[in-house]
Amino acid sequence: GIIGFGRFGKLLADLLSSQYEVKLYDSRKISEGNVKLCSLEEVLESVLVFIAVPISSFEKVVKEISKHKLYNTTIIDVCSVKLYPVEIMEKYLAQHVGIIASHPHFGPDSYSPFKELKATIYPVRDIYKRYDELKQILESQSIRIVELTPDEHDRMAASSQGITHFIGRVLDE
């Protein structure tokens, strides 16, 4: 299941729909291609549910889905930072809901089946043992997996992005 059919949600649906039935929920009621537009309840019946919404909407969406039963469900974020979404998911999702943190290191503009793709993933609360299944799904799409804790991920990202932004500003000056 995928919640959110923006630019990244569309890419994710394209990647997954070649091997899986993808159920999609988007509050704007948009759909296209090989995905099935469903109600939020239907999407939340999926065993793996990706939240592919802008980070500004992330907490609102997690609060909304936390009102549902979510038995046998693992929620996966696709945010480029990890500590914030993990904190939100742990805060609002019941203990019986699985949580996997993920950061695909590609997007609609950088995706190519001919480039090496990477994704950072981490089993925050893998109570249904879906981490290995997610790894296999991504690896079947030629996506290399990097396992980092949310803290390690964000420290490394801050360091590399800090240098990049610093160099960019120096060159701009």
Side-chain angles (χ1 to χ4, degrees), residues 36-88:
K36 180 180 176 187
L37 188 60
C38 301
S39 69
L40 181 60
E41 292 75 18
E42 288 174 290
V43 169
L44 293 175
E45 291 171 0
S46 303
V47 293
L48 293 172
V49 177
F50 292 86
I51 300 177
V53 300
I55 198 159
S56 59
S57 304
F58 189 79
E59 184 171 12
K60 178 182 170 203
V61 169
V62 172
K63 277 183 184 179
E64 177 61 31
I65 67 173
S66 72
K67 297 173 187 173
H68 298 266
K69 289 188 173 38
L70 301 175
Y71 289 106
N72 198 30
T73 303
T74 296
I75 303 294
I76 305 160
D77 80 287
V78 293
C79 299
S80 60
V81 295
K82 294 283 53 84
L83 288 172
Y84 171 75
V86 166
E87 177 185 303
I88 295 299

Side-chain angles (χ1 to χ4, degrees), residues 70 89-99 125 127-128:
L70 301 175
M89 291 186 290
E90 288 180 324
K91 178 178 178 180
Y92 293 108
L93 298 175
Q95 289 296 311
H96 67 267
V97 179
I99 298 172
R125 191 191 304 154
I127 57 175
Y128 300 113

Side-chain angles (χ1 to χ4, degrees), residues 2 5 16 27 37 40-41 51 62 65 68-69 87 92-93 100 111 126 135 137 141 148 153 171:
I2 299 173
F5 201 56
L16 297 174
S27 60
L37 188 60
L40 181 60
E41 292 75 18
I51 300 177
V62 172
I65 67 173
H68 298 266
K69 289 188 173 38
E87 177 185 303
Y92 293 108
L93 298 175
I100 298 177
Y111 172 77
D126 191 23
K135 278 177 63 174
I137 290 169
Q141 298 295 320
L148 293 172
H153 173 276
L171 292 174

Side-chain angles (χ1 to χ4, degrees), residues 79-168:
C79 299
S80 60
V81 295
K82 294 283 53 84
L83 288 172
Y84 171 75
V86 166
E87 177 185 303
I88 295 299
M89 291 186 290
E90 288 180 324
K91 178 178 178 180
Y92 293 108
L93 298 175
Q95 289 296 311
H96 67 267
V97 179
I99 298 172
I100 298 177
S102 84
H103 173 202
H105 295 263
F106 55 90
D109 297 327
S110 61
Y111 172 77
S112 167
F114 306 109
K115 289 171 67 175
E116 180 190 38
L117 302 176
K118 291 185 271 188
T120 298
I121 61 174
Y122 189 77
V124 175
R125 191 191 304 154
D126 191 23
I127 57 175
Y128 300 113
K129 305 298 181 214
R130 301 247 167 74
Y131 180 75
D132 288 336
E133 182 181 353
L134 178 61
K135 278 177 63 174
Q136 290 172 353
I137 290 169
L138 296 173
E139 288 171 342
S140 75
Q141 298 295 320
S142 300
I143 299 169
R144 188 167 60 88
I145 302 305
V146 178
E147 184 176 314
L148 293 172
T149 67
D151 187 56
E152 290 171 321
H153 173 276
D154 284 2
R155 270 192 275 125
M156 289 177 72
S159 175
S160 67
Q161 289 174 3
I163 291 168
T164 301
H165 287 287
F166 174 74
I167 291 171

